[in-house]
């Protein structure tokens, strides 16, 4: 028996986008959550040097692990021994390893719906039971302590993400503390996906380690550090799971690329450039937030971080995939359908990624306005 995994529908949108671009169409890529800026300049310079001087074997950078530990001390006031950090090829393998550390087949893993597509699919791939918790506007589309109390039986683990994909919402510090408390009381392991940390627009997104030192934390260089293709990330584990985590990395993935580890270390010291990218995301977010009401999109999650806007288009469609494909064909703007993030209600949501340049966001808005104005309202829809 093999596990059944859903495809990532945004890939189908992107494939069409590239086909249209091949036919000469001018495409704006807002379907994937990836910075278009590339690695910081000094990180690229370091990579050039590695190519010229380093034979690049299997290798794990102790300096990078120490730098990550220092990062937690400086940003969260938390002491993390570098031996608890495993360097990975991005957040994706870190997530697989974290899940495989909290239980075996049949383990129950809770997470918010809507949520990142891989939570459901990774749980399934490991023959675990995904427990999708419907989360609406009232809780900022985030799982909260009350929802965890209500789960019977208690899940073995919960995955939280703050800021989240697809909504960009943040779990406030007091709620994070309540979640940690409930998880302690009920014996629920916390896996915190902190990949969007550093990209926030209204207040910080504290690390779970500030309130739950024994949580597993997944992070990566793909978002804030603008290095998605370098395939570099990390997993922080509690002390009792550190050996098991290292064994998993060694057997399943060996090491991340040497060139990425050396460039990643330098990227930690490129704050000015990276904060410039965050300032661009903030401008893009403001432009979209100002424009969306004119498009008739009034039900959106407050994007406090990351680079996404998750919008309800239920007054226009009940088939977000067909809607995304039509929008792309007609306007050249590629977006992600909500069904990637929510198998139940995602048919009436779309996600914009605004990790593109500001002129592209302006151009997208210019194209979207007449297109949305021309869309007929669904007969059954409420007026928004
Ligand atoms: C919430 C979340 N977690 C994890 C990942 C995986 O990131 P990577 O493997 O590139 O580090 C992504 C990628 O978009 C994401 O949005």
């Amino acid at each position: 028996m093999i596990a059944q995994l859903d495809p990532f529908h945004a890939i189908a949108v992107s494939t069409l986008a590239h086909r249209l671009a091949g036919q000469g169409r001018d495409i704006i890529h807002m379907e994937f959550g990836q910075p278009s800026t590339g690695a910081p300049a000094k990180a690229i310079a370091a990579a050039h040097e590695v190519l010229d001087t380093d034979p690049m074997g299997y290798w794990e950078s102790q300096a990078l692990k120490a730098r990550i530990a220092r990062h937690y001390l400086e940003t969260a006031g938390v002491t993390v021994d570098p031996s608890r950090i495993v360097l990975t090829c991005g957040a994706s393998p870190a997530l697989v390893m974290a899940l495989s550390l909290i239980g075996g087949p049949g383990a129950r893993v809770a997470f918010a719906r809507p949520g990142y597509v891989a939570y459901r699919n990774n749980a399934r791939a490991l023959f675990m039971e995904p427990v999708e918790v419907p989360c609406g506007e009232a809780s900022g589309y985030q799982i909260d302590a009350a929802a965890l109390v209500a789960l019977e039986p208690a899940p073995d683990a919960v995955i939280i993400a703050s800021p989240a994909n697809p909504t960009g919402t943040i779990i406030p510090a007091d709620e994070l503390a309540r979640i940690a408390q409930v998880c302690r009381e009920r014996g629920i392991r916390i896996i915190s996906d902190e990949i969007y940390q550093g990209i926030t627009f209204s207040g910080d997104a504290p690390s779970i380690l500030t309130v739950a030192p024994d949580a597993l934390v997944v992070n990566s260089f793909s978002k804030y550090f603008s290095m998605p293709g370098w395939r570099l990330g990390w997993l922080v584990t509690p002390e009792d799971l550190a050996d098991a985590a290292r064994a998993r990395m060694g057997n399943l993935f060996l090491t991340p690329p040497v060139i990425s580890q050396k460039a990643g270390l330098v990227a930690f010291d490129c704050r000015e450039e990276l904060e410039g990218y965050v300032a661009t995301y903030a401008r893009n977010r403001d432009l979209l937030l100002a424009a969306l009401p004119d498009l008739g999109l009034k039900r959106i999650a407050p994007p406090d971080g990351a680079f996404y806007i998750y919008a309800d288009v239920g007054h226009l469609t009940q088939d977000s995939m067909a809607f995304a494909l039509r929008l792309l064909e007609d306007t050249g703007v590629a977006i992600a359908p909500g069904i990637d993030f929510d198998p139940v209600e995602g048919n009436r949501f779309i996600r914009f990624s605004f990790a593109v340049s500001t002129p592209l966001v302006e151009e997208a808005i210019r194209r979207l306005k007449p297109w949305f104005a021309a869309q007929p309202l669904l007969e059954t829809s409420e007026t928004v």
Side-chain angles (χ1 to χ4, degrees), residues 8 33-34 89-93 95 116 118-119 161 163-165 193 195-196 218-223 227-228 231-233 308 351:
F8 195 7
Q34 60 176 353
C89 311
S92 302
L95 187 61
Y116 180 49
Y119 303 153
N165 178 7
D193 183 347
I195 188 169
Y196 293 102
V218 168
N219 211 324
S220 160
F221 284 77
S222 294
K223 310 296 176 177
M227 297 171 68
R231 308 311 303 138
L232 182 64
Y308 304 117
R351 187 198 71 179

Side-chain angles (χ1 to χ4, degrees), residues 239-257:
E239 228 169 85
D240 62 321
L241 294 179
D243 284 343
R246 268 192 297 279
R248 276 160 179 70
M249 185 63 202
N251 281 287
L252 297 175
F253 310 105
L254 281 173
T255 65

